[in-house]
Amino acid sequence: WPARGDDQGRGCGYPAGMSDRISWFPIADREACTPETRALFDLLEEKLGFVPNVFRAFAWREERMTRWRAHFDDLMTPSEGLGKADREMISVVVSMQNQCLYCLTSHGFALRALLKDPVKGERIVLDYRRAGLSEKQMAMLDFAVKLTLDPVTVAEEDIDELRAVGFSDEDAWDIVEVTAMFNFTNRLMSGAGVMPNPEYHGMAR
């Protein structure tokens, strides 16, 4: 991969007129990355057919990427009270509030794939209030939106509302932390100008 400049990502399939740079920052030489990062890239290529640009764009700060990924993977691990799809719902709803192109595209795919229902997945991305979700899911996502858009107004009563619909304290903490993680990641991707891989747009449709 080139280090930087207008040649980043050429040949990756972006339509004419769209930027083919995947980041406004340097892109690491794959061969210069640690064996662990190269193994991660190989695994992702085997699983998805490509390396998600979030990793390509973050790999030039490899130690930070590794720490971020470990925390991210831990947060997205499902629990009995908060499943993988629930966590992905938070990801896309927060990303819609922040208008994060990268995360909306990549996690929109992830949610469609998990639900095995591209229509419902897309509706959650675009307007979760009209997606036919349960009362419990609605409470979770309404809280995530409030924490994202107006965090100073969040009060203990908001946590009590999560408890009232059946979330444990551990679940509620995870809802807070997943929401916070995606607010961080949205700003990282938007601030670095990271473009989503074009392959995502046609996946799990």
Side-chain angles (χ1 to χ4, degrees), residues 101-119:
L101 174 62
Y102 186 89
C103 293
L104 281 169
T105 305
S106 60
H107 290 278
F109 150 67
L111 183 59
R112 293 191 302 272
L114 283 168
L115 295 177
K116 297 181 173 58
D117 185 341
V119 173

Side-chain angles (χ1 to χ4, degrees), residues 76-87:
M76 298 305 283
T77 299
S79 62
E80 183 176 348
L82 200 69
K84 180 74 170 173
D86 296 320
R87 294 166 193 262

Side-chain angles (χ1 to χ4, degrees), residues 21-145:
R21 294 181 63 192
I22 69 169
S23 172
W24 299 326
F25 288 85
I27 300 300
D29 181 346
R30 184 168 180 164
E31 295 308 312
C33 291
T34 63
E36 292 77 14
T37 295
R38 295 199 303 273
L40 169 65
F41 286 3
D42 290 343
L43 178 65
L44 290 166
E45 283 181 330
E46 181 180 343
K47 180 179 179 181
L48 295 172
F50 59 91
V51 179
N53 286 345
V54 60
F55 297 110
R56 293 180 61 191
F58 208 162
W60 78 293
R61 306 300 301 271
E62 199 168 1
E63 290 184 3
R64 289 188 184 175
M65 181 190 77
T66 299
R67 290 193 292 267
W68 165 81
R69 177 175 169 257
H71 186 198
F72 184 93
D73 286 351
D74 185 43
L75 285 180
M76 298 305 283
T77 299
S79 62
E80 183 176 348
L82 200 69
K84 180 74 170 173
D86 296 320
R87 294 166 193 262
E88 287 292 354
M89 287 181 198
I90 295 172
S91 80
V92 297
V93 167
V94 169
S95 299
M96 178 58 78
Q97 306 312 307
N98 292 323
Q99 292 290 287
C100 177
L101 174 62
Y102 186 89
C103 293
L104 281 169
T105 305
S106 60
H107 290 278
F109 150 67
L111 183 59
R112 293 191 302 272
L114 283 168
L115 295 177
K116 297 181 173 58
D117 185 341
V119 173
K120 186 170 187 175
E122 199 81 331
R123 287 180 181 173
I124 295 169
V125 171
L126 296 172
D127 186 355
Y128 72 93
R129 296 175 182 88
R130 301 177 67 189
L133 299 178
S134 69
E135 179 187 10
K136 188 175 182 180
Q137 291 167 330
M138 287 293 296
M140 171 186 75
L141 297 177
D142 284 344
F143 175 82
V145 169

